[in-house]
Amino acid sequence: MLTAEDKKLICQIWGKIEGHQEEFGAEALERMFVTYPQTKTYFPHFDLSHGSDQVRGHGKKVVAALGNAAKSLDNLSQALSELSNLHAYNLRVDPVNFKAGWGLGLLSQCFQVVLAAHLGKDYTPEVHAAFDKFLSAVAAVLSEKYR
Amino acid sequence: MVHWSAEEKQLITSLWGKVNVEECGAEALARLLIVYPWTQRFFANFGNLSSPTAIIGNPKVRAHGKKVLSSFGEAIKNLDNIKTTYSKLSELHCEKLHVDPENFRLLGDILIIVLSAHFTKDFDPACQATWQKLVGVVAHALAYKYH
């Protein structure tokens, strides 16, 4: 459950991500492909080499969607409705990839690692907790319509 | 038995050489208790855990964090024999401490984020992948003797 304080922290952090959407998104995806090679099975049509334009483009897309979610914290279901449909009926990415019970889903973990790597000390325990909750909430909405 | 390539061993030992075990351990445990507050159930006798500030400053949390991460050091010294190294600890966590093994996975993921925040750019994808493998192996070994 996102508290008012969580929402404030998420907005603050998002301010630091804006302007780096493509960079952070691409890095998160690259880390995910390297650390969890099974995730590559969803991208047989992509060039997954380091610096790939497709990965950069897709990373930018993913982070932009998260940014949209971050601006709609009071109504995540609605903001992510189309993406929720897409993931459930079209992409059918196994939810473990973005949500693994209470633990971090694979992409969620990698995105947090990117933030920690770039923000260092600014990725405080409080920000970490708020962001983890945010990503879990997004994951929950994305997997809502799976069955 | 887990196979470690020469590169993986190098990535593990060279990073470990730069880790301040007391600081990183304290931070990892504090973040576990902050990000996943239900984990506080195992530390009822630790005193004040009422806020992130209280948790971070709590001397028992710091001391225990140091103890936990020091034990990681043992795994790193015995990469080819982690299950045996953790055999007794596994029994302890099952029979006396009654800790759900899911907590080992949570702490492992948190440790990765702490390392990323500390080492920033140096904690590159290859490094993350190797360390995620290590924390996964440690978690598995700690759960191995559960019955």
Side-chain angles (χ1 to χ4, degrees):
Chain A
M1 212 185 52
L2 291 170
T3 64
E5 182 63 24
D6 289 332
K7 293 179 185 180
K8 203 176 90 185
L9 288 172
I10 291 162
C11 281
Q12 267 170 27
I13 280 303
W14 209 266
K16 302 198 172 122
I17 296 172
E18 226 128 61
H20 296 277
Q21 292 188 2
E22 188 177 296
E23 185 195 341
F24 286 10
E27 191 183 328
L29 287 175
E30 184 181 355
R31 284 179 182 271
M32 188 183 73
F33 295 140
V34 172
T35 307
Y36 310 111
Q38 66 271 27
T39 56
K40 295 191 288 187
T41 59
Y42 292 99
F43 299 92
H45 53 301
F46 265 33
D47 162 23
L48 296 180
S49 59
H50 178 71
S52 147
D53 281 335
Q54 285 177 307
V55 173
R56 294 190 72 82
H58 197 69
K60 182 178 178 183
K61 214 176 187 180
V62 169
V63 175
L66 284 175
N68 194 32
K71 290 194 190 78
S72 321
L73 293 173
D74 292 326
N75 205 345
L76 279 179
S77 266
Q78 190 168 26
L80 292 171
S81 177
E82 273 189 47
L83 274 175
S84 178
N85 287 332
L86 187 73
H87 282 75
Y89 305 123
N90 199 301
L91 302 175
R92 290 170 295 189
V93 174
D94 194 302
V96 74
N97 292 286
F98 43 83
K99 153 185 101 148
W102 287 109
L104 292 179
L106 309 184
L107 180 58
S108 307
Q109 170 74 350
C110 290
F111 192 63
Q112 291 214 40
V113 170
V114 170
L115 291 182
H118 286 267
L119 300 176
K121 278 200 237 10
D122 286 348
Y123 203 64
T124 64
E126 291 89 335
V127 169
H128 178 171
F131 221 80
D132 189 297
K133 286 162 81 174
F134 167 59
L135 292 176
S136 290
V138 168
V141 170
L142 284 181
S143 40
E144 229 166 42
K145 298 170 189 168
Y146 269 61
R147 58 177 175 174
Chain B
M1 208 191 79
V2 182
H3 172 73
W4 301 98
S5 71
E7 196 201 342
E8 285 171 332
K9 289 187 180 185
Q10 160 63 9
L11 283 170
I12 291 170
T13 53
S14 71
L15 194 85
W16 187 249
K18 302 178 205 149
V19 169
N20 179 325
V21 173
E22 183 167 347
E23 284 303 320
C24 271
E27 195 178 335
L29 185 62
R31 283 180 186 248
L32 181 74
L33 299 174
I34 292 165
V35 179
Y36 308 116
W38 55 91
T39 57
Q40 293 169 25
R41 71 190 294 281
F42 302 110
F43 303 102
N45 62 339
F46 267 31
N48 188 2
L49 298 178
S50 60
S51 69
T53 311
I55 292 170
I56 292 162
N58 185 310
K60 284 188 172 173
V61 171
R62 293 191 67 83
H64 196 69
K66 177 182 175 184
K67 192 178 183 180
V68 169
L69 200 60
S70 300
S71 149
F72 234 80
E74 286 305 300
I76 292 173
K77 276 195 231 135
N78 295 282
L79 286 174
D80 293 326
N81 220 342
I82 295 182
K83 273 214 192 80
T84 311
T85 304
Y86 276 136
S87 179
K88 288 265 170 288
L89 267 179
S90 180
E91 285 171 9
L92 178 78
H93 281 76
C94 172
E95 291 159 17
K96 280 202 74 188
L97 305 177
H98 310 294
V99 176
D100 180 343
E102 177 61 20
N103 291 286
F104 309 144
R105 289 176 261 284
L106 291 183
L107 184 59
D109 275 350
I110 293 237
L111 178 62
I112 296 295
I113 290 173
V114 168
L115 292 175
S116 183
H118 274 255
F119 293 105
T120 62
K121 276 198 237 10
D122 287 344
F123 197 66
D124 66 16
C127 205
Q128 178 190 351
T130 301
W131 276 80
Q132 293 274 185
K133 178 178 170 181
L134 176 62
V135 302
V137 168
V138 168
H140 181 77
L142 275 175
Y144 196 65
K145 294 309 257 294
Y146 271 57
H147 56 92

